[in-house]
Amino acid sequence: MFYVFVFYGCLSLITFCVYGMDKSAAKRGKQRVPESTLHLLSLLGGWFGALLGQKAFRHKTKKRRFLVVFWLTVMANIAVTGYAMHVFDFFNVS
């Protein structure tokens, strides 16, 4: 179970940094990170870092379509992770 938390933590940190880089690129008029990449990072487990990045950088907070897809990726990730933890019996403490 420890590895699941490490994986989520690392991916969240990476995702948070990518949101920061994208916000910086937006301010400078440089090439942006595709929204599909941001969603993929969120879906793979970096959703908490994405949420923190949205709040900290005030980034991608007004685009309704982006937010709908973002929350769908969060729900999908939580559902799949919960199912996997159940199937692989991560909560067995014996």
Side-chain angles (χ1 to χ4, degrees):
M1 180 116 146
F2 172 75
Y3 298 109
V4 173
F5 290 116
V6 170
F7 175 78
Y8 268 81
C10 289
L11 199 52
S12 287
L13 179 62
I14 291 167
T15 304
F16 179 82
C17 292
V18 171
Y19 267 75
M21 290 175 3
D22 189 44
K23 178 65 175 196
S24 177
K27 284 183 174 180
R28 294 181 291 126
K30 300 290 183 183
Q31 185 169 348
R32 305 280 305 277
V33 175
E35 287 185 356
S36 59
T37 301
L38 298 174
H39 288 314
L40 180 62
L41 288 168
S42 174
L43 182 65
L44 293 176
W47 63 267
F48 189 70
L51 187 61
L52 292 177
Q54 288 174 12
K55 303 297 181 197
F57 304 117
R58 294 186 187 149
H59 191 50
K60 299 289 188 185
T61 58
K62 294 184 180 180
K63 290 183 74 175
R64 184 178 202 111
R65 186 178 189 287
F66 181 87
L67 292 173
V68 167
V69 174
F70 167 72
W71 284 107
L72 288 172
T73 67
V74 171
M75 289 187 287
N77 181 269
I78 290 172
V80 168
T81 303
Y83 179 75
M85 291 178 112
H86 173 72
V87 166
F88 296 112
D89 206 16
F90 277 102
F91 299 110
N92 184 6
V93 287
S94 48

